[in-house]
Amino acid sequence: MTSVTVRVEGPDPYDVVIGTGVLGALPAMVGDRARTVAVVHAAGLPEIARPVVGVLERAGHTVHALPVPDGEAAKDVAVLAGLWSRFAGLGMTRTDAVVGVGGGATTDLAGFAAASWLRGVPAVLVPTTLLAMVDAAVGGKTGINIPEGKNLVGAFHPPAGVVCDLATLVTLERDDYISGLAEVVKAGLIADPRILELVEDDPEGAARPDGPHTRELIERAVRVKAGVVGADLKEAGLREILNYGHTLAHAIEKAEEYRFRHGHAVAIGMVYAAELACLAGRLPEKEVDRHRAVLTSVGLPTSYGAEAWPALRAAMTIDKKSRGSTLRFVVLDGIAEPGRLEGPDEDLLAAAYRKVAK
């Protein structure tokens, strides 16, 4: 399978290389100036971290593998502080580099560690999950969680490059792969309807890492995100559309103490946002039905517990899109026609949730 390169424009442009067996792109992204390279990797992925270390060592770098907890447990201030201490022990300077290997939690952590060490050192990301490839690793958002909410502490720090080796996807559990599809479908809903058509034509194939359109789906999703973040790195306006479904999703994740898969929460959140837009008279009901159909076809959930609404509503108050006390939602006026709904009435919020309650 040949590789494809997607360019992310902006103040600090970089490439996203997508393909199988593409780790050879890493040394050029790390660059010749880096003497020491810290490879921050999920502890459960030593077999994936080893070839990353190997390709960098063969390029002449001094490489140190630094394992961190798997999953969201990595995005903790204590883990971050531990990395800072390791960087200090390694004598890492501003010309050295961090390489993050793992899912979205690992790349978020590695990126923030790079952004905050000496006020910023280069980061190269090697996402190993579908979710990380199409979302977390592209766009320069980095961060950790605190008890009050997800991703509330972080920095914008574009990577020096991203390498998406599709060979790593075959190691994913089926539910984890399907979780990542939520962000792929999101890209289709907000910007690229061809993604929806590919999934609708072959949902079973879309739900497999060896499906006939896997690389095209990933490439299209990455291109959507690249186009948005290249025009709006720091979420001044346009970039907010990437948060479609995320207001409720982050509330669900908090309620579940981050044990709920991100993509599953986003799937529910997108249906909620669609119902909200429909009740507000902005999105046709047939498009709400399409949300449910395409998400359900690949095995993603579209409903959540009715009794959870009070806790979810409270959690949504602490949302990065809010302005003061005004709650803001990304909604659609049609497929690939994103907009915003500001300060919706409480009765409307509750009515929309009843549509997704089970």
Side-chain angles (χ1 to χ4, degrees), residues 150 245-258 265 304 311-319:
K150 183 173 180 176
H246 284 57
T247 300
L248 183 68
H250 284 164
I252 290 172
E253 289 177 292
K254 183 183 178 186
E256 296 278 353
E257 297 180 342
Y258 305 109
Y304 196 68
L312 297 181
R313 176 63 189 91
M316 284 195 295
T317 301
I318 306 176
D319 183 83

Side-chain angles (χ1 to χ4, degrees), residues 239-321:
R239 185 167 179 158
E240 280 190 344
I241 69 172
L242 297 173
N243 286 319
Y244 185 56
H246 284 57
T247 300
L248 183 68
H250 284 164
I252 290 172
E253 289 177 292
K254 183 183 178 186
E256 296 278 353
E257 297 180 342
Y258 305 109
R259 292 189 293 264
F260 200 87
R261 286 180 174 86
H262 176 70
H264 287 52
V266 169
I268 299 166
M270 289 191 293
V271 175
Y272 175 73
E275 291 285 7
L276 192 60
C278 184
L279 290 174
R282 296 180 58 167
L283 184 69
E285 188 172 351
K286 67 176 183 178
E287 301 298 4
V288 182
D289 294 340
R290 191 180 188 189
H291 277 64
R292 279 198 173 84
V294 70
L295 292 166
T296 302
S297 73
V298 294
L300 284 162
T302 58
S303 60
Y304 196 68
E307 73 289 344
W309 175 242
L312 297 181
R313 176 63 189 91
M316 284 195 295
T317 301
I318 306 176
D319 183 83
K320 296 189 295 300
K321 292 180 297 305

Side-chain angles (χ1 to χ4, degrees), residues 20-32:
T20 301
V22 291
L23 291 182
L26 276 173
M29 292 179 176
V30 169
D32 297 332

Side-chain angles (χ1 to χ4, degrees), residues 78-308:
V79 178
L80 176 64
L83 286 178
W84 289 333
S85 295
R86 293 296 303 275
F87 294 170
L90 296 174
M92 287 182 62
T93 70
R94 196 167 277 174
T95 56
D96 292 324
V98 174
V99 174
V101 183
T106 306
T107 58
D108 278 359
L109 170 71
F112 190 33
S116 52
W117 181 248
L118 301 178
R119 297 187 177 90
V121 299
V124 176
L125 304 178
V126 185
T128 61
T129 66
L130 178 58
L131 183 62
M133 288 180 185
V134 301
D135 184 40
V138 179
K141 275 189 177 180
T142 71
I144 58 171
N145 305 329
I146 59 174
E148 289 74 15
K150 183 173 180 176
N151 296 328
L152 292 179
V153 180
F156 291 100
H157 187 64
V162 179
V163 177
C164 301
D165 192 333
L166 304 185
T168 64
L169 296 177
V170 300
T171 66
L172 289 181
E173 292 183 11
R174 177 175 171 82
D175 281 347
D176 288 332
Y177 187 82
I178 289 172
S179 176
L181 280 176
E183 293 285 358
V184 176
V185 171
K186 181 199 76 179
L189 289 169
I190 66 173
D192 183 359
R194 179 58 182 155
I195 290 175
L196 303 181
E197 294 168 0
L198 289 169
V199 175
E200 289 165 336
D201 288 346
D202 184 10
E204 193 275 332
R208 304 193 326 262
D210 62 345
H213 302 299
T214 296
R215 200 193 73 179
E216 183 179 358
L217 286 169
I218 293 172
E219 179 188 346
R220 284 182 174 276
V222 169
R223 288 193 186 280
V224 167
K225 185 156 192 182
V228 172
V229 302
D232 179 19
L233 172 63
K234 297 189 176 180
E235 208 166 73
L238 175 64
R239 185 167 179 158
E240 280 190 344
I241 69 172
L242 297 173
N243 286 319
Y244 185 56
H246 284 57
T247 300
L248 183 68
H250 284 164
I252 290 172
E253 289 177 292
K254 183 183 178 186
E256 296 278 353
E257 297 180 342
Y258 305 109
R259 292 189 293 264
F260 200 87
R261 286 180 174 86
H262 176 70
H264 287 52
V266 169
I268 299 166
M270 289 191 293
V271 175
Y272 175 73
E275 291 285 7
L276 192 60
C278 184
L279 290 174
R282 296 180 58 167
L283 184 69
E285 188 172 351
K286 67 176 183 178
E287 301 298 4
V288 182
D289 294 340
R290 191 180 188 189
H291 277 64
R292 279 198 173 84
V294 70
L295 292 166
T296 302
S297 73
V298 294
L300 284 162
T302 58
S303 60
Y304 196 68
E307 73 289 344

Side-chain angles (χ1 to χ4, degrees), residues 3-30:
S3 66
V4 63
T5 299
V6 177
R7 185 71 167 173
V8 183
E9 300 294 350
D12 299 295
Y14 57 94
D15 289 333
V16 181
V17 177
I18 305 166
T20 301
V22 291
L23 291 182
L26 276 173
M29 292 179 176
V30 169

